[in-house]
Amino acid sequence: MIESPKPFRKVDRLTAFFDAFELEVSLDPTPMRYGRARLFVIGEAGGPVEAIVLQPRSDSVPEPSALMTAAVDFEGAHNPLMNALPDQVLIGINDIPALRDITAAFMAEALESRCGRSAALNRLGEVIVLLILRSAIDRGATGPGLLAGLSHPSLHRALVAMHDAPARAWNSDDLAAAAGMSRSHFMALFRNVVGTTPQAYLTGWRLILARRKLAKGAKVKAVARQVGFGSAAAFSRAFFRKFGDWPSVPS
């Protein structure tokens, strides 16, 4: 059966991550905390900015030609999008005009001690990270994973559906319809591109969200319901299988 393409409205592939995980960008002269990424503004001393580099893992090697280095905390240890990125994402400063302008504003704020400097750096840094993530998704990935799925012209719709409504009782037919495919084609393609089954990915996403809710003091039964598990017992078993301990509220 030949599937004819259907027109779909555009979906937002990033908002769910910005809603689920807190992003903080700052100039941090102290040693990088575990889980913090680095953002480098690259160029020659006294010359123009040439590129922006995001290194999503805190054990990465510093850039020797950096005019400025910022700490990026996007909950990398728990954020599947940050974990899906390559060790380095480099964007030429002229590749994205908005990035060039925002970076100029970021550097101006960093070099001056003005009122609200920290807040301004954080807001501008958030936009820089967002633009870099957009570019990374547009580029895609060479191997299976979340980044490859988000960059796929059809599969990303199923991923966004799961991200946006994790509590919904998604089945394979629903997700295939969201992607505009037959069920058999969708199931095979999803595993090939994302590297796991749709239900396994959905369960993992639900558990990641659940752990964040528990860390903020939510009750186990309420969290189980909010992320789409039929019972607290089923949720607890799945949580243990993924994280190796039982769900609990911090004391």
Side-chain angles (χ1 to χ4, degrees), residues 50-67:
E50 298 172 1
I52 303 293
V53 173
L54 175 65
Q55 293 184 353
R57 281 162 278 284
S58 57
D59 58 352
S60 55
V61 178
E63 286 286 338
S65 58
L67 298 173

Side-chain angles (χ1 to χ4, degrees), residues 29 56 64 113 142 160 178 206 209 212 230:
S113 297
T142 56
V160 170
R206 286 171 168 171
L209 297 180
R212 294 202 76 258

Side-chain angles (χ1 to χ4, degrees), residues 40-101:
F40 299 100
V41 180
I42 305 297
E44 295 184 6
V49 174
E50 298 172 1
I52 303 293
V53 173
L54 175 65
Q55 293 184 353
R57 281 162 278 284
S58 57
D59 58 352
S60 55
V61 178
E63 286 286 338
S65 58
L67 298 173
M68 189 174 296
T69 302
V72 178
D73 189 349
F74 201 14
E75 302 188 47
H78 309 299
N79 186 335
L81 180 57
M82 292 295 282
N83 289 331
L85 294 175
D87 291 339
Q88 177 172 288
V89 182
L90 185 149
I91 311 292
I93 198 64
N94 293 317
D95 292 349
I96 306 173
L99 181 62
R100 180 187 61 224
D101 298 339

Side-chain angles (χ1 to χ4, degrees), residues 54-176:
L54 175 65
Q55 293 184 353
R57 281 162 278 284
S58 57
D59 58 352
S60 55
V61 178
E63 286 286 338
S65 58
L67 298 173
M68 189 174 296
T69 302
V72 178
D73 189 349
F74 201 14
E75 302 188 47
H78 309 299
N79 186 335
L81 180 57
M82 292 295 282
N83 289 331
L85 294 175
D87 291 339
Q88 177 172 288
V89 182
L90 185 149
I91 311 292
I93 198 64
N94 293 317
D95 292 349
I96 306 173
L99 181 62
R100 180 187 61 224
D101 298 339
I102 295 295
T103 300
F106 183 84
M107 292 191 67
E109 287 291 338
L111 295 172
E112 299 180 24
S113 297
R114 303 183 66 184
C115 297
R117 175 176 181 265
S118 295
L121 286 171
N122 191 49
R123 301 298 184 274
L124 293 167
E126 286 180 357
V127 178
I128 290 172
V129 171
L130 186 150
L131 293 173
I132 291 172
L133 292 174
R134 277 183 186 171
S135 178
I137 289 173
D138 289 342
R139 295 180 186 184
T142 56
L146 174 59
L147 194 60
L150 288 173
S151 67
H152 192 277
S154 300
L155 286 180
H156 77 270
R157 300 182 185 282
L159 285 166
V160 170
M162 289 186 273
H163 292 159
D164 289 349
R168 178 173 168 177
W170 292 105
N171 60 42
S172 300
D173 290 331
D174 295 333
L175 294 170

Side-chain angles (χ1 to χ4, degrees), residues 4-10 157 177-178 180:
S4 57
K6 299 178 182 178
F8 286 97
R9 64 179 180 83
K10 288 186 177 181
R157 300 182 185 282

